[in-house]
Every structure is written in C-alpha cells, then in structure tokens.
Amino acid sequence: MSLSLTIPAPIAPPTPGAPGQLRHLLGIRGLTRRQAEALLDQARLCKAARHAPAETGPSRPLAGRRIVTVFYEPSTRTVQSFHAAAAALGAQAVDLPVDRSSVHKGERLDDTLETVAAIGADAVILRHPQTGAAHYAARHLDVPVINAGDGTGEHPTQALSDALTILERRGRIAGLKVAIIGDIRHSRVARSNAHLLTLLGAQVWLSGPPTALPPAGIPGAARVARDRAEALDGADVVMALRVQRERQASGLMPPAAAYRAWWGLSAEALEQCSPDVVVLHPGPVNRGVEMDGELLADPRCAVRQQAANGVPVRMAVLLTLLARGGDRSWSMCSSAAGW
Ligand code: CP
C-alpha cells in the first residue's frame, strides 16, 4: 500500500475559547488550559454516567450520528475505545478497513476522506503515518476531524487518557514530577503528553537514548534529564514509551538487552521514585524491554486503567465536538473543577 503523500505539516492551533467551540481535535498543542481541563471534567462525568444503572443513566445524546474510523496504521486501544465511546453515546461507529479499501488501488488520502464524508460521516477519526495528516484532513472536510495519531506528531486522546489516569491515581497533576522515558524523538504520545502535562502544571522530564531525543524543540516546557536516574529521582509518575522495533532495525535504538539495562523499568529502578509512583505505558508493552513483565501486575502500574480511560475520554471528545445544543444534557462541563 502506498502511503506517500506530500503534506506540509502546519500545526494550526485549534480555535481558542470554550471547549464547545472546538471544531476539531488535532493536537494538544494550541489547546488552552481551560479547554484541556474541561475535556477532562467531561471525561470524568462520562465515566460516572457510563457506569450508572440503566434506569438512572443518561440518554443517547449522539443517537443518529455516524462516526467513521480511518486507520492507516494498526490499533487496538484507540480504535476499540472510539467504537465503545460512540456506542455508549448512541452513535453508530463504522470502520473503513484501509487494508481492504480503495487505498490499495492508489486512492489519495483527500479523495478517500471526501468519499467517506460523502457517504455519511458526522466525524472522522484518522490515524496516519504522515505527520500533519489530521491537519490536512481538517482542511478537506466539513465535519470534525479527530487525530488518532499522525506520524511523529500528536496523539491527543492518548494524552488525555493518561492525564485522567494520573488525576484518578494522584488527585492532581499540578506540581507532580513526570518522567517520560524512551524514544522521545519519534513518539507522538510523548509529544502530546509533554504539552498537556506541562499545560496542567506538571514538571515533565524526558530521558532516552541520545539518538532518540529531539534534536531541537523540546515539547511543552519539558526538560531533558542527564540519564534515567535523574528522570526517576522522586518521580510521581513514570511513563515508559514503546520501543518501535523498526527503529531498532535502523540502528537508531540500542538492542533490547541494552535498552532494558539503561532505560527499562524494573522494580529496582522504581525504588528511586516516589513511593506511590504511578507507572504508565501507552501500550502495547514489549515485556522485558521498556518494562519488566511483572510490573504489569504491580499495584503501582496503571496500564490497564489507561486503556479503560480511553473510553470516557473519547466520549468526552465526541460530545464536545458533536453534541448539539439540545444534546447537552451530558455536557455539564463548566470551567475547571477543583483540581
Ligand atoms: N496507545 C495506542 O495508541 O494504542 P493502539 O495503537 O493499540 O491504539
């Protein structure tokens, strides 16, 4: 399948103002603190409402709406949780199976997306290997576009899921020390998290192999640690990033054993952190590389909670972008809650 596409990579900021005014969710960069906090408040409401008994639960605010997931890269968590979120809100979620689509016949991204919209889409959720693809899509479509990961650009709903998990575990984000460890340079998860967590007042430290650190332009107000020990020292949250095997093949990343020794998380490495450290990983985890397999069962590890929180976060994003005035019974988001 040819994915070649020349896309300039403008990082256009979303429309500033209240969250209800967001047209698309293309990245964390450009969101105001109030918009980010309101999305998280909305996610917490969605989580509570989703687990309410049916008789007291909310209505189906997005009934009759159709969202389409268009993923040019594999996904388990993101695509599944968008579909679960749409179902919880009464919307229909449809997947374009890119591998079996006319993309194989050479159809361009803009033609593919415009066709999807013409057939019927109230929102398009796009994952694409090219950085800037979601911005490109937003310029071609009249419906909201949600970035589900664009190259090395951003993965905003992952960062919101991670922030919700930190809030649930620690009760706040402001003032926490967060260590992000791994292939920072190529990680859209690291980029979105660095922007979001610094926006919300955390101190973000980045650590990884020298070939995997950004040559310039550290995202957000993050700092680069000298080594893993400096990043982990007293950390309240540690986020390990997935080692992308294709980068190991290219020589950009050390072999797995060396990576584990220098940047992997183990029970021993976590002794440098705060006693109630929260361990995160966006998944999928390469056991024994980014983190030892037994850490997945450690009570400090919130990896499964991160995945579960993808549903209410994506519900919040869909509601914010799609709910009409009359649908706002779920959209009780006001200004920031007291965290
Ligand atoms: N974290 C994440 O984006 O996972 P998937 O690739 O499984 O969606």
Side-chain angles (χ1 to χ4, degrees):
M1 176 178 12
S2 169
L3 299 176
S4 64
L5 176 69
T6 304
I7 303 175
I11 307 294
T15 311
Q21 295 174 322
L22 279 179
R23 174 92 175 113
H24 309 282
L25 182 63
L26 305 179
I28 297 295
R29 200 176 123 176
L31 283 186
T32 65
R33 181 169 181 159
R34 178 162 176 264
Q35 286 172 324
E37 288 176 339
L39 283 167
L40 289 169
D41 286 345
Q42 181 67 75
R44 296 208 284 195
L45 291 169
C46 287
K47 188 165 182 174
R50 185 163 178 248
H51 296 297
E55 61 275 13
T56 59
S59 59
R60 293 158 55 85
L62 298 186
R65 315 297 280 281
R66 190 171 194 265
I67 68 158
V68 184
T69 50
V70 182
F71 278 47
Y72 285 72
E73 291 180 329
S75 168
T76 297
R77 294 148 196 80
T78 312
V79 74
Q80 285 292 310
S81 54
F82 266 116
H83 282 243
L89 296 168
Q92 180 192 20
V94 181
D95 187 57
L96 175 72
V98 169
D99 283 350
R100 291 184 286 114
S101 76
S102 291
V103 171
H104 264 305
K105 303 173 195 166
E107 191 161 37
R108 291 174 10 166
L109 177 62
D110 52 351
D111 288 333
T112 298
L113 296 176
E114 286 172 13
T115 301
V116 163
I119 290 168
D122 292 297
V124 169
I125 325 286
L126 178 66
R127 173 172 287 189
H128 196 281
Q130 184 88 31
T131 305
H135 295 264
Y136 177 85
R139 289 201 299 275
H140 283 81
L141 295 178
D142 293 329
V143 296
V145 173
I146 300 171
N147 184 2
D150 65 317
T152 60
E154 284 227 37
H155 193 350
T157 55
Q158 178 67 46
L160 289 163
S161 304
D162 300 343
L164 178 60
T165 305
I166 296 169
L167 278 172
E168 289 177 341
R169 289 275 178 135
R170 298 299 300 258
R172 66 188 168 93
I173 288 176
L176 296 183
K177 177 177 178 179
V178 180
I180 304 179
I181 298 182
D183 183 358
I184 309 291
R185 180 175 183 167
H186 300 100
S187 173
R188 55 200 180 205
V189 173
R191 191 156 289 103
S192 286
N193 265 295
H195 284 303
L196 181 60
L197 297 175
T198 56
L199 182 68
L200 298 176
Q203 297 174 348
V204 176
W205 289 79
L206 308 174
S207 179
T211 50
L213 291 173
I218 302 300
R223 294 177 234 184
V224 176
R226 281 190 307 276
D227 51 25
R228 180 181 62 184
E230 186 181 33
L232 293 186
D233 183 33
D236 300 292
V237 179
V238 179
M239 181 182 300
L241 301 172
R242 183 175 71 87
V243 171
Q244 299 172 49
R245 294 181 194 277
E246 61 274 21
R247 302 206 190 286
Q248 283 182 313
S250 70
L252 276 175
M253 295 289 280
Y259 185 92
R260 190 229 172 242
W262 286 92
W263 291 282
L265 296 184
S266 61
E268 186 185 354
L270 292 185
E271 285 174 12
Q272 300 166 72
C273 304
S274 158
D276 48 359
V277 65
V278 181
V279 178
L280 302 176
H281 188 300
V285 174
N286 293 306
R287 292 167 186 249
V289 184
E290 303 99 66
M291 64 165 66
D292 288 355
E294 57 263 32
L295 280 186
L296 284 168
D298 188 297
R300 295 169 292 183
C301 180
V303 167
R304 303 296 180 229
Q305 191 175 340
Q306 280 175 276
N309 279 339
V311 179
V313 157
R314 287 161 180 128
M315 290 169 72
V317 171
L318 291 172
L319 269 177
T320 300
L321 297 181
L322 288 178
R324 301 189 182 108
D327 297 329
R328 290 222 170 256
S329 53
W330 273 49
S331 214
M332 295 171 281
C333 53
S334 57
S335 59
W339 48 266

